Amino acid sequence: MNYGVEAIGRHSVSLISRIGSFFILIGRLIASLREIHRSFGLILEQFYLVGLKSLPVIVVISIFVGAVSAWQAAYQFKFIGAPPRMLGQGVGKAVVMELAPVLSALAFAGRVGAGITAELGTMRVTEQIDALHSMGINPVRYLVLPRVLACLVMMPFLVIFANFVAIMGALVVSIVGVDITYETFLNGFRDSFKVGDFINGLIKAGVFGLVIGVVGCYEGFSTQGGAHGVGRATTTSVVLSMVLILVFNFISAVILFRL
Amino acid sequence: MTTPLIKVEGLRKSFNGQPILDGVDFEIYRGESVVVIGQSGCGKSVLLKHIMRLLEPDEGRVIFDGQDIGKLSGRDLNEVRLRIGMLFQSAALFDSMTVAENVGLCLKEMRRHTHAERNRIVMEKLELVGLTDAASKKPDEISGGMRKRVGLARAIATDPEMLLYDEPTTGLDPITADLINDLIIDLTQKLDVTSIAVTHDMTAAYKVASRIFMLYEGKIEFDGTPDEIRASDKATVQQFITGRAKGPIKVR
Ligand SMILES: Nc1ncnc2c1ncn2[C@@H]1O[C@H](COP(=O)(O)OP(=O)(O)OP(=O)(O)O)[C@@H](O)[C@H]1O
Ligand SMILES: [Mg+2]
């Protein structure tokens, strides 16, 4: 009995101290913005590694997301006898507002978030982060700032591509598989498309990128216990980012779209 | 020289409830070359890390050139750290960079040198440790002893006032080890660098040290010159420097 209470106490203390150190890292990150000019080269390098190198994965995922959305929508519409132009409307809304930002972010968490945690975690357990400290180099400025910034900036950029590719995927499926003309689909899409939705999707993407970058760096920096610890930290990083992304996404939907 | 360069006062540190440092006190003056000896796992590396403030003490202070480093942060702390060079026991090289980039990183981040000057300094330091050929290799392409020497070249790249060496010659053949010991002596004598070296090699300790500390049960068990330590009648000290398994010190 007592042991249970004690264990709960211990876990909540460690949870609180983890949340505390998470916010300390955020504080240090904000403070390091003053020296951002010193990390210019590193930032560009991360833009390349985090952004451009994620493009192929995002493109492949988006083609199929668009394709399956069109197929499923057409299948459902068949039963309710919805007019064909609704296909472009429905798929367009779903892709631009939810599917492209959320699914890209989940893929990004798996690819980039995991990579960041594994890299920084290895640097932590092999004393490379201590070595940076010992050389008077601020590891937050040197390692965290470029990665978080790259995630923040590149995620919306990737979502622009994801939107475009997913709509193309849906268009192809509509033409080839559903027998809808190119004009019908695009007219439907144009009817429902709002610039506000698109911007909203990009803002969400930026927030998701920020979450992935900060969580990835935090988990990497707080890694303990050798190779096993790196593995554990990487798993935690990906799971935590994914959960946070989905929770934020839901909250933003509830706030923005009052029923 | 009346004020010590490094002063450690009542340093205590426990890990998971087990005390590792249990009240360490000492002073080191400019130009001294201190060697720290002690059993494996007794806290020598932990002690060096406290001097660089890579670990926070549970109690006690580390004072570098009159400043309590526990009270420094941000730029002030980095400035102190730049005055101290450290060779890690594991070398702790950046594995994404070449040997030359490792050695040059600190200079690059200081932004006081041109590219050409930096290259010259890097090659000069690599030459001191006998590694000019490995300049463009990655850390995982060189041997353990080579990594150690790259770590040493990196530690001395910015010509710091003080150097902390964690087992600089472990894993080196006797000839290379002697080269490194000579280098450490040269740095102390010619450039007036103050140093603290951890070593298990008693020959090197006698050769390099102006003072030897023996760390035992979390405290400085012995503090004296090489001659004094040889003449010491403490049983623990004699057991350690002559290397016998039997005696008051138990292998845990
Ligand atoms: N980060 C840490 N977390 C937990 N325990 C630690 C940590 N660092 C060191 N220790 C413990 O502190 C003790 C002293 O470690 P330290 O690395 O200083 O030994 P050492 O004297 O340098 O030994 P060696 O000669 O083998 O290098 C060890 O028992 C080690 O388990
Ligand atoms: Mg050690």
Side-chain angles (χ1 to χ4, degrees), chain A residues 38 127-128 133 135 141, chain B residues 49 81 90 94-95 109:
Chain A
R38 298 187 55 185
E127 298 183 311
Q128 293 177 53
H133 276 301
M135 295 161 85
R141 180 202 40 96
Chain B
K49 285 182 186 168
R81 282 171 169 162
S90 64
F94 303 113
D95 46 25
E109 290 294 317

Side-chain angles (χ1 to χ4, degrees), chain A residues 52-68:
Chain A
L52 287 181
K53 289 215 151 184
S54 299
L55 204 51
V57 182
I58 301 287
V59 165
V60 171
I61 288 176
S62 302
I63 291 176
F64 288 99
V65 166
V68 81

